[in-house]
Amino acid sequence: MSTLIHGGTIVNEGRTFIGSVEIDRDRIASVTEGISLPRGHYDQRVDATGCFVLPGIIDDHVHFREPGLTAKADIESESRAAAYGGVTSYFEMPNTVPQTTTIERWEEKTTLAKDRSHVNYSFFFGATNSNAPLFEQLDRHRVPGIKLFMGASTGNMLVDRRESLERVFETAARMDLPVMTHCEDTALINRNMAAMKATYGDDPAVSLHPQIRSAEACYLSSSWAVKLAKIYGTQLHVAHLTTAKELELFGTDPRITAEAVIAHLIFTDEDYLSKGAWIKCNPAVKSAADRDALRHALADGRISVVGTDHAPHLIHDKQGGCCQAASGMPMIQFSLVTMLELVDGGVLSIERLVELMCHHPAQLFGVCRRGYLRSGYKADIAIVRPNSPWTVTEDVIQSKCKWSPMLGHRYQWQIRQTFCNGRLIYDDGTFDTASRGEEITFR
């Protein structure tokens, strides 16, 4: 199957130009600059005039809930949502039921994805207080890295012993495995929660969430993770940064990087008044000053990657306050169009967006032949159309939970088409239900 995508504005490796992309089976055959069409016969031609042609998005941080939590979401539904959003590859987190903390559980999850994932997949291996010796059995060509919860969150995978943390960082460094951390200081959070309960009762209002999971709790944990990474020479990637102060820790050491996620780039603590627990996540959405600092860091290099922390829950699980309402929200379908709104707002350039959501995830984790529009690379491509307004309604949402904090939002950008491994899997509202992604491999 050969495909020619022509007439679109290609965004790749810091450049934006009118050109064509030739696809031969599952790979990019050529990327050509200019309005002239390459000669040849093609099974499929796509006129992308007026659209932007990007590498498929690589989301380094998702929770697809399978196995064990499939009432909320599953690999099929959430990978479909990914395809609708221009996301062609994802790295999924280990806090499912059972947790992905043994070789057998990791293999089982990978087997599930082979049968059910519409886009490309890979799975983090979860650290516990005692399983660091298993890291030596992991195939670095198949595992993006180790996920370490240095703060209790959904799934209760907290690693809280100093000697266990040191063993994780030391072993991961020796095995050349990146460590991706969830950083919040649990002891401080527990003290903050106790104080809030004493004042406000057993389920404090969700607007108090950023005071309980405070900026100080984030910084204490993030700074400790950075210190351990420097001691052991570990490649560290700190997930979902939320505070201006944490940004001081990044930007000088290329082996120590930070991720921002969509919720913390668009919402502030003022939005709890209108969105309530729909924007409750861990770490918490914080102040406008923190959000603005994160936005600034997108352009200056302190933030290296933008992901989603896509984490669906049933809507009845999102009721209540800081104690009762579940933390997490589904965002993968809307990540690219949301970031394109930030481009329109002058927060970052479209070239930088592609670096943050495509190139850098591929670089940091060593993804083989994805994340760029290059000859010989896998043909993972998102075609997006500006000036095409549409509104998020329940019937649009592909995630199994059927809600989103973006419900009712009117976007100006639209995902027109998504190619995964050369196959057109999403086409302007039409979806190829038979499509299956591939297991991601790493250098």
Side-chain angles (χ1 to χ4, degrees):
M1 180 74 173
S2 60
T3 301
L4 176 65
I5 301 170
H6 63 90
T9 300
I10 295 170
V11 186
N12 188 54
E13 301 192 67
R15 298 185 62 235
T16 300
F17 56 90
I18 301 291
S20 302
V21 179
E22 292 179 274
I23 300 171
D24 182 15
R25 289 167 293 187
D26 65 337
R27 295 183 185 268
I28 295 171
S30 69
V31 179
T32 306
E33 185 171 353
I35 60 174
S36 299
L37 296 183
R39 293 183 178 180
H41 170 77
Y42 302 96
D43 300 306
Q44 181 176 233
R45 289 175 178 262
V46 175
D47 185 353
T49 301
C51 298
F52 288 77
V53 181
L54 319 177
I57 303 305
I58 300 174
D59 193 334
D60 72 332
H61 191 167
V62 306
H63 302 263
F64 280 3
R65 305 303 192 198
E66 190 171 359
L69 300 166
T70 53
K72 301 171 185 281
D74 57 45
I75 289 170
E76 188 283 322
S77 64
E78 306 318 292
S79 65
R80 175 168 22 97
Y84 271 69
V87 178
T88 53
S89 298
Y90 62 84
F91 305 162
E92 208 261 354
M93 293 298 154
N95 52 335
T96 44
V97 180
Q99 298 165 350
T100 317
T101 54
T102 69
I103 305 298
E104 294 75 19
R105 297 305 186 195
W106 186 91
E107 291 283 3
E108 288 170 5
K109 189 179 280 190
T110 302
T111 299
L112 286 173
K114 181 179 180 180
D115 292 335
R116 303 179 189 182
S117 184
H118 296 293
V119 299
N120 307 314
Y121 53 88
S122 190
F123 299 95
F124 276 93
F125 190 82
T128 70
N129 274 315
S130 60
N131 75 345
L134 293 178
F135 300 174
E136 298 180 6
Q137 300 178 38
L138 296 173
D139 184 346
R140 178 62 184 94
H141 299 295
R142 299 182 68 199
V143 179
I146 305 300
K147 179 60 184 290
L148 172 63
F149 288 90
M150 294 177 65
S153 189
T154 303
N156 193 27
M157 287 181 61
L158 175 65
V159 178
D160 57 355
R161 302 174 194 161
R162 178 174 180 141
E163 63 273 18
S164 297
L165 289 169
E166 291 175 342
R167 185 73 180 273
V168 167
F169 277 85
E170 184 276 328
T171 308
R174 183 158 41 83
M175 302 309 298
D176 194 28
L177 285 162
V179 174
M180 186 171 184
T181 52
H182 177 128
C183 286
E184 293 181 285
D185 187 277
T186 300
L188 180 54
I189 290 170
N190 289 342
R191 291 197 297 272
N192 291 342
M193 179 64 83
M196 288 295 181
K197 284 184 173 183
T199 303
Y200 298 104
D202 289 340
D203 190 27
V206 73
S207 59
L208 299 171
H209 192 53
Q211 296 178 48
I212 295 169
R213 289 182 174 263
S214 63
E216 183 184 3
C218 293
Y219 183 79
L220 283 173
S221 186
S222 293
S223 59
W224 177 225
V226 169
K227 182 177 181 179
L228 287 170
K230 289 181 176 180
I231 290 171
Y232 293 102
T234 314
Q235 182 183 341
L236 172 67
H237 189 52
V238 179
H240 41 44
L241 233 61
T242 59
T243 72
K245 187 169 179 58
E246 286 173 287
L247 289 166
E248 300 168 3
L249 301 168
F250 302 93
T252 58
D253 188 335
R255 289 183 62 82
I256 298 175
T257 56
E259 171 204 62
V261 300
I262 302 298
H264 303 129
L265 292 169
I266 61 173
F267 298 124
T268 75
D269 53 7
E270 296 179 1
D271 292 310
Y272 289 111
L273 294 175
S274 58
K275 299 286 187 180
W278 282 28
I279 62 165
K280 180 175 182 278
C281 55
N282 299 337
V285 168
K286 295 185 175 68
S287 70
D290 288 312
R291 180 202 62 187
D292 293 345
L294 292 173
R295 287 182 170 188
H296 184 69
L298 293 175
D300 68 17
R302 288 173 294 166
I303 296 293
S304 298
V305 171
V306 170
T308 60
D309 195 8
H310 176 85
H313 292 283
L314 295 176
I315 194 65
H316 66 71
D317 293 332
K318 294 293 288 181
Q319 309 306 309
C322 290
C323 290
Q324 290 188 12
S327 292
M329 64 189 84
M331 289 297 288
I332 198 168
Q333 187 177 344
F334 310 112
S335 61
L336 176 52
V337 288
T338 300
M339 289 298 293
L340 287 165
E341 287 194 339
L342 296 188
V343 170
D344 286 343
V347 173
L348 75 167
S349 68
I350 194 167
E351 295 85 358
R352 182 62 177 167
L353 179 156
V354 168
E355 290 175 350
L356 291 164
M357 301 185 81
C358 310
H359 301 340
H360 287 179
Q363 289 173 3
L364 288 179
F365 293 97
V367 174
C368 290
R369 295 190 173 272
R370 300 187 192 276
Y372 296 84
L373 300 178
R374 289 176 178 170
S375 177
Y377 273 55
K378 291 286 188 173
D380 297 339
I381 299 170
I383 301 177
V384 295
R385 181 167 47 203
N387 306 313
S388 300
W390 60 285
T391 301
V392 180
T393 56
E394 185 176 317
D395 63 297
V396 166
I397 297 169
Q398 298 300 307
S399 288
K400 197 178 205 178
C401 65
K402 300 302 290 183
W403 69 273
S404 166
M406 307 314 295
L407 195 64
H409 184 76
R410 189 164 180 80
Y411 283 105
Q412 299 302 314
W413 287 83
Q414 189 174 61
I415 309 300
R416 177 181 165 188
Q417 289 166 319
T418 303
F419 286 83
C420 188
N421 304 305
R423 183 168 178 168
L424 180 58
I425 63 171
Y426 173 75
D427 186 12
D428 222 0
T430 301
F431 184 68
D432 179 0
T433 58
S435 65
R436 292 295 178 269
E438 297 177 352
E439 182 180 350
I440 299 165
T441 57
F442 304 89
R443 291 186 294 274

